[in-house]
Amino acid sequence: MDQNQTTPLFGLSLDATSKKFLSETARWASFLAVIGFIVCALVVIGGIVVAIAASQFDNAFDSYNSGSSVRMSGSGFGAVLGVVYILFAVLYFFPCLYLLRFSNHMKVAIAAEDQTRLTTAFENLKSVFKFMGILTIIILSLYVLGFLFGGLAAAFS
Amino acid sequence: MEQQTDIFSNEVKIDETAKSHILGMTSWAMIIVATAVLGSIIALVAAILAPKIDFSSMEMEGFSAASMMQQKSVGSSIFSLIFSLIIYYFLYQFSTKASAGVKTSNMDEVKAGFKGLKIYFAILAILMILVGLVLFVALFAFI
């Protein structure tokens, strides 16, 4: 195959324009990662608050309901919701971490012309895309399953 | 700032390991684009085909609640589809251009891919800022 004339002598070298694009990408990635960490922290706090509030509601409901013969308690739901919140935060933490690592390595690689850092930066960005890709496939699969089961339920009802 | 143009200088290159990482990245990026756009299309189809709930007892100034909810759902699905097409176009651009550039050792194509990646991240960041501002305003509106 004919090697393109834009190919430098020793393969693909990053010129000034590429460095500028990658540097700006790293800056936006850093911003997104920091916002992501803040969102993770807020979701964890939200999960704890929801779990505490729901358990207090359950206690109040149980004490109100203690004299009744009918047991209607939603105990455990708040805790489950809190755990779901925290799981979501943990799940969201990893792509943010990879994104921050990409950003830091890329900034240093461009500033110090460091080949190893550049490779590590690309490796981390690949991890971000891999993580997000797997996540979107799982979400889409759940969505399609819900759509199919909903359609079947509507058809047989 | 002086650019290093000397071929014996310590300039950074996209070596074989970096190439394999970029190719992996572009493959996953394409999967993300495909699943995200497909998800938006399915959401639109689901909104259009969703069975209408009978809210005839809840007439609201001449419009039934069911038809209002249906229109809102279809409208938001169309908005979501257009929005995802705009955002993921740049990720698609990164995926196709960077992949082709790395495979054919064409730096111009790789550059075009990096540009798409930059725009994709910039749009995501601006979107985050807008969502944050809306939430901030909403928080103060409720207080």
Side-chain angles (χ1 to χ4, degrees), chain A residues 53-99:
Chain A
S55 70
Q56 282 180 349
F57 176 79
D58 286 341
N59 289 340
F61 193 81
D62 284 344
S63 62
Y64 174 77
N65 205 30
S66 58
S68 169
S69 58
V70 183
R71 302 296 296 172
M72 284 174 60
S73 174
S75 61
F77 179 72
V80 170
L81 202 62
V83 169
V84 168
Y85 268 57
I86 291 164
L87 277 178
F88 173 78
V90 170
L91 204 66
Y92 192 51
F93 174 81
F94 288 102
C96 294
L97 182 69
Y98 291 133
L99 206 56

Side-chain angles (χ1 to χ4, degrees), chain A residues 1-4 6-10 12-22 24-25 28-29 31-32 35 92 99 102 109 112-115 118-119 122-123 125-126 128-130 132-134 136-137 140 143-144 147 154, chain B residues 3-4 7 10-15 17-22 24-25 28-29 31-32 35 38-39 42-43 45-46 49 51 91 94 101-108 110-111 114-115 117-118 120-122 124-126 128-129:
Chain A
M1 190 191 293
D2 180 34
Q3 288 292 307
N4 197 295
T6 54
T7 308
L9 192 56
F10 298 111
L12 293 169
S13 293
L14 290 182
D15 61 3
T17 319
S18 315
K19 283 178 189 170
K20 185 176 154 253
F21 288 148
L22 287 173
E24 285 175 19
T25 305
W28 285 118
F31 174 78
L32 283 170
I35 295 287
Y92 192 51
L99 206 56
F102 155 73
E113 306 272 340
D114 190 332
Q115 186 65 49
L118 183 79
T119 311
F122 282 135
E123 189 181 2
L125 191 59
K126 188 182 81 176
V128 174
F129 282 125
K130 193 175 177 179
M132 298 311 288
I134 292 170
T136 46
I137 288 170
L140 186 71
Y143 201 75
V144 169
F147 188 56
Chain B
Q3 292 295 323
Q4 291 182 318
I7 58 167
N10 191 26
E11 67 179 1
V12 277
K13 299 180 190 76
I14 300 174
D15 61 7
T17 319
K19 277 183 186 177
S20 97
H21 289 321
I22 291 173
M25 239 191 281
W28 281 110
I31 289 169
I32 292 170
T35 46
L38 193 64
I42 291 172
V45 171
L49 296 180
L91 194 59
F94 161 69
V102 166
K103 281 175 186 163
T104 59
S105 292
N106 185 343
M107 197 58 210
D108 288 337
V110 177
K111 250 188 281 185
F114 286 156
K115 189 181 179 186
L117 185 68
K118 183 198 84 175
Y120 170 69
F121 274 113
L124 283 186
I126 291 165
M128 279 276 191
I129 294 168

Side-chain angles (χ1 to χ4, degrees), chain B residues 2-142:
Chain B
E2 188 186 336
Q3 292 295 323
Q4 291 182 318
T5 50
D6 182 2
I7 58 167
F8 300 109
S9 70
N10 191 26
E11 67 179 1
V12 277
K13 299 180 190 76
I14 300 174
D15 61 7
E16 288 308 311
T17 319
K19 277 183 186 177
S20 97
H21 289 321
I22 291 173
L23 287 176
M25 239 191 281
T26 54
S27 303
W28 281 110
M30 189 56 89
I31 289 169
I32 292 170
V33 171
T35 46
V37 172
L38 193 64
S40 296
I41 291 169
I42 291 172
L44 180 62
V45 171
I48 292 168
L49 296 180
K52 286 191 177 178
I53 306 159
D54 185 21
F55 283 113
S56 54
S57 59
M58 294 168 64
E59 290 291 320
M60 295 166 70
E61 296 182 14
F63 298 98
S64 78
S67 69
M68 284 173 73
M69 284 170 72
Q70 183 97 356
Q71 283 168 8
K72 194 178 171 186
S73 178
V74 171
S76 65
S77 297
I78 291 170
F79 178 75
S80 166
L81 179 62
I82 292 169
F83 209 71
S84 67
L85 284 175
I86 293 169
I87 292 174
Y88 290 110
Y89 167 73
F90 294 103
L91 194 59
Y92 172 79
Q93 198 182 31
F94 161 69
S95 177
T96 51
K97 301 258 179 180
S99 173
V102 166
K103 281 175 186 163
T104 59
S105 292
N106 185 343
M107 197 58 210
D108 288 337
E109 289 261 50
V110 177
K111 250 188 281 185
F114 286 156
K115 189 181 179 186
L117 185 68
K118 183 198 84 175
I119 296 171
Y120 170 69
F121 274 113
I123 290 174
L124 283 186
I126 291 165
L127 200 66
M128 279 276 191
I129 294 168
L130 289 177
V131 169
L133 281 175
V134 168
L135 287 176
F136 194 70
V137 169
L139 188 72
F140 277 94
F142 278 110

